[in-house]
Amino acid sequence: MNESEFDGPATAAFEAILSSLPPTVKSESLDSRGLFDDLQFVAALLSEIPEAITEASLIFRDTDEQVRVCVIGEGLLVGRANDCDLSLPQRRDLSRQHFKITKENHGFRLFDPGSSNGTFVRGIPSRIASRELCDGDILEAGGLAFVYIGPVSEPADCSHQLH
């Protein structure tokens, strides 16, 4: 998308939607262009998945350019090591056990046990050690962008933020 496309009528409509959100929804960034780009990124990944996602999952584009869906279940350990639930040994920027997502009472939480290169959530400038995940969060780790899709039946209370 070039600059002139972003400044067109679609952007005005997008800005109107953002301004109409209830006061309980806050954006950690006032950068609506970044939010717009993130939404396009998530939509592109979702458009390549043949079936609807009903369970909490991570989706990402693997090194072979295929979009992968990894169901989290009760928990998911991501890293290079063979004992990880999602093992990506070819990704040298990932630590052996880079991050873990665990199921909690009302949602899912991301933990980074001290990975070498860190785990980031788009919209937040610093490394994440622990954080409640919200539907649509984009996690960055090891040169990959993972999108967290929350469960359909148990939406997390993420009224505290919008990325």
Side-chain angles (χ1 to χ4, degrees):
M1 168 176 284
N2 65 40
E3 192 71 33
S4 62
E5 289 177 45
F6 186 76
D7 292 330
T11 300
F14 183 71
E15 295 287 346
I17 291 168
L18 287 179
S19 67
S20 70
L21 291 172
T24 56
V25 177
K26 297 180 196 168
S27 175
E28 293 188 30
S29 169
L30 296 176
D31 178 14
S32 60
R33 181 178 184 140
L35 178 58
F36 188 76
D37 291 343
D38 286 352
L39 290 172
Q40 283 188 311
F41 172 76
V42 173
L45 287 178
L46 289 172
S47 72
E48 294 185 41
I49 298 171
E51 298 179 16
I53 296 174
T54 58
E55 298 180 66
S57 302
L58 283 185
I59 59 174
F60 66 102
R61 188 173 306 280
D62 208 345
T63 53
D64 62 1
E65 294 302 313
Q66 295 298 308
V67 175
R68 307 275 187 234
V69 177
C70 191
V71 174
I72 296 169
E74 293 297 312
L76 181 74
L77 179 61
V78 178
R80 284 192 344 259
N82 290 335
D83 63 342
C84 289
D85 303 307
L86 176 56
S87 177
L88 301 163
Q90 72 280 15
R91 301 302 301 199
R92 291 288 159 214
D93 290 341
L94 278 177
S95 292
R96 291 183 46 72
Q97 296 184 342
H98 200 98
F99 67 86
K100 183 171 185 152
I101 297 175
T102 58
K103 186 172 185 178
E104 294 189 339
N105 294 336
H106 297 18
F108 288 82
R109 180 166 287 279
L110 167 75
F111 294 97
D112 182 325
S115 64
S116 298
N117 293 323
T119 303
F120 299 85
V121 174
R122 284 202 190 155
I124 301 174
S126 58
R127 295 167 75 132
I128 301 297
S130 175
R131 172 184 167 69
E132 180 181 358
L133 290 173
C134 295
D135 200 16
D137 273 348
I138 300 173
L139 316 175
E140 296 177 346
L144 290 172
F146 301 87
V147 178
Y148 168 75
I149 303 296
V152 172
S153 59
E154 299 177 26
D157 176 17
C158 290
S159 59
H160 63 282
Q161 61 199 348
L162 176 67
H163 299 293

